[in-house]
Amino acid sequence: MSKIKSIALCLWKAFISIIRATLPQNRNEKKVFVFSFVFYLFLGCFWLFHVNQDGGFTLLGYDTYEYTIGEFLIPYKVLFFKLRHPLMAFWLFPISVIAYLPEWLLGVASVLPVFTVAANLAMALSTSLVWRICRLINPSSCYGNLICTGVYFSFAQIIIISFAVESFPFSSLALLSYISYDCFHHKKTDIYSDNLFFAIISGITITNGLKFVLAQFLWKGRCLDFVKKMIKSSFLFLFLIGIAIFVAVVRWEFLIRPVSPDVPLISLLLGDSMNYVIHYDFFQWLKVVGYNFFVSPILLCVDAINFEGFDFSKKVLRNLSIWIIPLSLFYGSLLLSLWINRKKQLVHVFLCFLVVDMLIHLILGYGLNEGHIFSAHWLFMFPILLAMLSNLFRSAIVKNIYYLCLFLFSGILFIHNMSYIVTGIINMN
């Protein structure tokens, strides 16, 4: 019993340490966080004001997760298990309780506002972490790092996921928190913080667990040491997963099968995951990859609301033709930064993240036509790579020209994306 208490205490101390490392730590980080949160909250309130909650709604494929509907607050359903997001219901339970209490007690429709504010907080914290990492990489230029963070702030999917009730804001925050803590925090990670990060990251989205494993391999050194480390780091995740799977099996055996005997257990655990696996012929595949992997996460060329898949209409092609040079220069800068900084460990971690997403989405075809499914998991690396690239310039004039170009790009991009999103929200119904 004393051993269990000791482990629980160590996990709690690791949790508090991670929370402290994730929260803004100085005045500039606090300013970035507050500004981001106020903007995201304003946009979220604007969206909620135009949502017809009774008629249903879609937003670039986003929808309210089954994890957040009221019946899942029943104790055994909080451990609802689906392979894609195995512990998502578990992590959202505290937010769900806060969201539903006003509705239960006062009859106030509070679910979407509470979850929207939670997404606002997650994205504002993510933005402040992007600022922190840029500052640690490029400590010589405060306003330059602010401009790089502004580039992140202007991406289409970053704006949208700040008020979308999905796993993506929480997933983005968890990955950034892990990078910041493991790469730059003054304290070394230990087995308890590793267990927490593994349980949180893999529990939100199982594919991101692969990113954690690869990052651990890069940071921890030799193969044998890595295997031992991963085994020790997985105890909390396996314990929680074991409970969730046990509850899912009991639920299927005693509640679902008596009513629907044709429903197999595997379909219950997979949910509708296989519906997202899409294959195209080669030329169609190139179009889908080009638009949904490289364009739509950054630039909106279609109506933001009720958008499904992709559409190469004349309007889309006209917008792309205008943006082809800025986007080419933008991606060229990223590739240059990758090449120049190719020996740095953080770049290796970023490349591992991209390899996982390319394998799952480009090769296997999972969610290939929906850029929002995967873009939030690696868009944060773009401003960090831009901050890395700024270290290349020794001349103050050249560096200022570089920052000016980034400022103009992010400003115009932000105005363009906001016009599409706001227009789409206004015309939603």
Side-chain angles (χ1 to χ4, degrees):
M1 194 66 181
S2 61
K3 182 69 172 178
I4 295 175
K5 287 183 179 179
S6 176
I7 292 174
L9 181 61
C10 289
L11 283 171
W12 175 251
K13 289 180 179 179
F15 175 73
I16 296 299
S17 179
I18 290 170
I19 293 297
R20 287 177 177 171
T22 302
L23 294 175
Q25 295 180 343
N26 57 50
R27 182 177 296 180
N28 286 331
E29 282 187 28
K30 290 176 182 177
K31 288 180 180 178
V32 172
F33 169 76
V34 170
F35 177 82
S36 303
F37 179 68
V38 169
F39 170 76
Y40 291 142
L41 184 62
F42 172 80
L43 190 58
C45 292
F46 181 77
W47 172 67
L48 287 169
F49 181 77
H50 289 85
V51 167
N52 179 6
Q53 299 182 27
D54 297 326
F57 57 91
T58 58
L59 176 70
L60 270 178
Y62 294 95
D63 52 24
T64 48
Y65 252 146
E66 53 200 325
Y67 304 111
T68 65
I69 62 179
E71 64 173 343
F72 282 92
L73 297 181
I74 299 171
Y76 69 84
K77 286 190 175 180
V78 69
L79 296 171
F80 179 75
F81 181 87
K82 276 196 177 177
L83 190 60
R84 284 167 55 205
H85 311 284
L87 297 176
M88 188 66 177
F90 187 84
W91 302 137
L92 286 183
F93 183 70
I95 302 175
S96 299
V97 172
I98 297 171
Y100 276 93
L101 276 178
E103 189 166 299
W104 290 338
L105 299 176
L106 305 173
V108 178
S110 54
V111 178
L112 275 180
V114 169
F115 272 94
T116 301
V117 170
N120 296 156
L121 282 169
M123 289 311 300
L125 285 171
S126 296
T127 306
S128 69
L129 286 173
V130 168
W131 155 264
R132 177 190 300 174
I133 297 171
C134 288
R135 178 178 58 83
L136 292 170
I137 287 172
N138 179 30
S140 62
S141 179
C142 178
Y143 73 90
N145 295 323
L146 195 62
I147 290 173
C148 291
T149 307
V151 175
Y152 177 76
F153 194 78
S154 67
F155 292 158
Q157 294 300 337
I158 297 305
I159 298 173
I160 289 172
I161 63 176
S162 65
F163 58 91
V165 185
E166 273 281 13
S167 68
F168 310 119
F170 309 106
S171 181
S172 177
L173 175 60
L175 289 170
L176 273 166
S177 178
Y178 172 62
I179 291 171
S180 174
Y181 189 90
D182 216 24
C183 277
F184 302 107
H185 199 250
H186 64 280
K187 291 183 179 179
K188 291 287 186 180
T189 57
D190 54 29
I191 197 64
Y192 299 101
S193 58
D194 283 345
N195 268 277
L196 281 170
F197 274 123
F198 191 29
I200 293 170
I201 291 172
S202 303
I204 292 175
T205 306
I206 195 67
T207 54
N208 280 348
L210 296 175
K211 298 178 183 178
F212 177 89
V213 171
L214 289 174
Q216 288 286 85
F217 178 71
L218 288 172
W219 283 331
K220 303 307 177 185
R222 294 182 303 174
C223 187
L224 184 59
D225 294 337
F226 160 72
V227 172
K228 292 178 180 178
K229 187 79 171 178
M230 285 310 304
I231 292 173
K232 293 180 180 179
S233 300
S234 62
F235 284 146
L236 180 63
F237 174 75
L238 293 175
F239 173 73
L240 295 172
I241 286 294
I243 295 175
I245 292 177
F246 173 76
V247 174
V249 172
V250 171
R251 176 169 162 259
W252 172 75
E253 178 67 30
F254 294 102
L255 295 176
I256 296 177
R257 205 163 74 156
V259 179
S260 304
D262 296 332
V263 177
L265 178 61
I266 188 65
S267 68
L268 180 70
L269 300 182
L270 286 176
D272 58 351
S273 298
M274 300 310 295
N275 294 336
Y276 290 94
V277 179
I278 303 172
H279 298 284
Y280 300 93
D281 64 58
F282 180 71
F283 292 105
Q284 190 78 344
W285 180 85
L286 287 177
K287 290 182 180 180
V288 174
V289 169
Y291 184 75
N292 289 288
F293 206 85
F294 296 104
V295 178
S296 70
I298 294 174
L299 173 73
L300 285 178
C301 291
V302 296
D303 293 336
I305 309 301
N306 296 322
F307 167 60
E308 296 292 340
F310 73 103
D311 174 24
F312 281 95
S313 63
K314 291 182 179 179
K315 182 180 179 181
V316 173
L317 292 174
R318 185 167 62 250
N319 273 295
L320 282 176
S321 65
I322 296 172
W323 281 89
I324 189 68
I325 293 178
L327 284 178
S328 298
L329 291 173
F330 173 73
Y331 278 109
S333 300
L334 295 177
L335 290 173
L336 179 61
S337 182
L338 280 173
W339 175 254
I340 292 173
N341 300 287
R342 62 188 182 278
K343 295 182 180 180
K344 293 184 178 179
Q345 199 171 46
L346 184 59
V347 171
H348 297 167
V349 172
F350 286 166
L351 290 175
C352 285
F353 285 9
L354 277 177
V355 166
V356 171
D357 275 315
M358 291 176 69
L359 173 65
I360 300 297
H361 303 292
L362 270 67
I363 307 302
L364 300 182
Y366 180 83
L368 181 57
N369 67 332
E370 295 175 293
H372 61 274
I373 285 181
F374 45 79
S375 59
H377 298 159
W378 42 258
L379 273 178
F380 52 76
M381 70 179 68
F382 288 178
I384 297 172
L385 286 171
L386 292 174
M388 285 178 146
L389 182 61
S390 67
N391 290 323
L392 172 69
F393 307 117
R394 301 301 177 191
S395 169
I397 296 176
V398 175
K399 185 172 287 192
N400 288 333
I401 292 174
Y402 172 72
Y403 287 140
L404 177 62
C405 292
L406 288 181
F407 177 78
L408 292 174
F409 174 78
S410 61
I412 297 172
L413 184 66
F414 177 78
I415 294 171
H416 172 89
N417 288 331
M418 280 298 297
S419 66
Y420 269 85
I421 292 169
V422 170
T423 302
I425 290 174
I426 292 174
N427 297 329
M428 188 186 304
N429 297 311

